[in-house]
Amino acid sequence: MSPDPSTTSDLVTPALLVDVPTFERNLAAMDAVLPGAKLRPHVKAFKSTDMARRLDADGHHGFCAATPREIEGLVAAGLTDDLLLANETLDTARLGALAGRANITVAIDSDETLDAAIAGGVRSVLVDIDVGLPRCGCDVEDSARLADRARAAGLDVRGVMGYEGHVMMVHDRDKKRAKVEQAMAILLQAHEMVGGDIVSGGGTGTWDLNTWCTEIQAGSYTLMDTQYDELEMPFEKALSVLATVISISSKGWIIADCGLKALGMDHGNPSWDDGDVFFCSDEHITLMPRELSDWKVGDRVQIWPSHVDPTVARHEQFWLVDDDSVRDRWPIDLRHW
Ligand SMILES: Cc1ncc(COP(=O)(O)O)c(C=O)c1O
């Protein structure tokens, strides 16, 4: 890489690209429906304090995080207004240590996670409710008891959260609306018992259909991926991996230098506009071009990841580009735990 790359051809590959005009359109589309505090952007998708600052500048001052590391990074970046660890953790001392510098709230769903919050010096909690995704969240029946225990221990119980992740990829919007309503009925039932101002939930896949939450926890809409791109939404793919063709086979395929270590593959193969993706291995992607003769070693290919979060977590930086011009570099500084 040249010290200060000015075009994408100066970049070492694999390189993670963010197309700036598309990214800005995604932000504007979200802001038109969920301005300010109606959206609590989830940093787990993009893991970058520079990107969080960009969203803060748009009026989204509260953030969701999935790991203590993400909370620490946001605090260090001065984004301290209202941080929610929308996940359970026993690693609470790290959060309590920041309580004097930032407004930090942690999700709890058991006596153990509540005890950890108290012992760690966390001051505020949300009760996390199981709304149908077989992951974290307590039963509605247990929510009031946990809230009472938290209040008795002097904690501020700010409300409830419930993530309807099992509904995100339902394609039919009427069916999806009904499923979101079903999930949110559970959350609202818990909220009646728990109290507090916050009902937090939702994600990119339910961003406009979840009208029951006081705030939506979306993050992927910023960058998108090929899986979310299957849904009818105004957000477009802004994230791609730039790779270099390193070998060409007379048998009809070309090989580029981005494989499993540069791509989150849990949602399947990535996509390529000029042909098919045959398969990925550690450092390689084997591509079946429509026209083999169009390609030579050294050419660049643009690969569309199928899942944004694990792809981002494999890279050290975003390159912000507009066409072939490199506009900026944003470190992916919230990685790891
Ligand atoms: C707790 C929680 N909230 C919200 C989201 C929504 O994120 P996305 O924007 O990817 O749909 C996620 C994604 O995994 C999540 O785990």
Side-chain angles (χ1 to χ4, degrees):
M1 178 178 72
S2 66
D4 207 0
S6 58
T7 69
T8 53
S9 51
D10 297 329
L11 297 174
V12 167
T13 57
L16 196 59
L17 307 185
V18 175
D19 181 71
V20 175
T22 310
F23 169 68
E24 290 293 337
R25 281 197 299 277
N26 289 346
L27 267 48
M30 178 58 85
D31 289 352
V33 177
L34 297 176
K38 285 183 189 291
L39 178 77
R40 185 190 283 275
H42 207 317
V43 303
K44 74 190 286 288
F46 50 82
K47 288 184 172 284
S48 150
T49 52
D50 281 325
M51 196 176 292
R53 273 200 203 91
R54 174 68 192 82
L55 300 174
D56 182 67
D58 264 2
H60 308 295
H61 305 310
F63 292 93
C64 287
T67 64
R69 170 76 196 94
E70 289 170 359
I71 296 280
E72 287 172 339
L74 290 166
V75 174
L79 296 164
T80 56
D81 265 30
D82 190 355
L83 305 179
L84 167 62
L85 184 64
N87 197 5
E88 278 62 16
T89 185
L90 299 175
D91 195 3
T92 48
R94 290 164 66 191
L95 305 174
L98 299 170
R101 288 170 60 196
N103 182 4
I104 298 172
T105 303
V106 176
I108 54 132
D109 70 354
S110 64
D111 285 310
E112 289 82 355
T113 47
L114 172 57
D115 288 343
I118 296 166
V122 169
R123 296 176 187 170
S124 306
V125 291
L126 283 189
V127 182
D128 187 5
I129 310 296
D130 174 359
V131 296
L133 174 71
R135 213 172 65 179
C136 298
C138 67
D139 294 338
V140 173
E141 295 71 36
D142 209 23
S143 58
R145 187 188 69 77
L146 285 171
D148 289 347
R149 265 204 66 208
R151 289 198 175 100
L155 268 61
D156 180 17
V157 179
R158 299 185 66 197
V160 292
M161 76 161 251
Y163 173 54
E164 73 279 23
H166 56 301
V167 177
M168 293 296 149
M169 285 311 297
V170 175
H171 284 229
D172 182 295
R173 276 179 65 84
D174 290 335
K175 282 195 186 129
K176 183 184 267 187
R177 189 180 288 107
K179 282 179 185 291
V180 176
E181 183 169 11
Q182 213 178 3
M184 291 304 111
I186 300 170
L187 191 58
L188 294 182
Q189 199 190 340
H191 184 233
E192 257 180 40
M193 298 191 274
V194 167
D197 296 333
I198 296 179
V199 180
S200 194
T204 297
T206 60
W207 72 293
D208 60 337
L209 291 177
N210 187 331
T211 51
W212 295 272
C213 284
T214 58
E215 57 178 43
I216 296 297
Q217 303 184 348
S220 299
Y221 75 96
T222 53
L223 299 172
M224 292 289 285
D225 53 38
T226 60
Q227 188 184 61
Y228 261 147
D229 198 46
E230 290 169 13
L231 299 176
E232 248 178 70
M233 297 195 291
F235 314 119
E236 303 159 70
K237 301 191 303 299
L239 183 79
S240 60
V241 178
L242 184 71
T244 305
V245 176
I246 53 170
S247 179
I248 294 193
S249 167
S250 58
K251 298 186 183 71
W253 53 77
I254 68 174
I255 297 99
D257 62 354
C258 80
L260 299 170
K261 292 176 186 168
L263 293 159
M265 298 276 296
D266 58 313
H267 289 170
N269 273 348
S271 301
W272 182 46
D273 291 342
D274 298 300
D276 293 327
V277 174
F278 186 6
F279 74 105
C280 292
S281 44
D282 280 351
E283 285 83 15
H284 304 96
I285 186 166
T286 302
L287 301 165
M288 308 294 287
R290 275 190 286 278
E291 280 301 331
L292 187 64
S293 59
D294 287 350
W295 296 93
K296 60 180 189 318
V297 169
D299 283 348
R300 294 289 173 102
V301 290
Q302 189 179 17
I303 304 297
W304 302 106
S306 58
H307 194 182
V308 47
D309 310 52
T311 299
V312 168
R314 285 167 164 75
H315 293 260
E316 288 182 346
Q317 61 221 338
F318 293 115
W319 294 103
L320 276 79
V321 302
D322 184 351
D323 207 355
D324 282 340
S325 303
V326 176
R327 291 286 157 84
D328 209 348
R329 184 186 84 92
W330 284 354
I332 300 172
D333 54 348
L334 299 176
R335 300 185 306 155
H336 307 311
W337 297 269

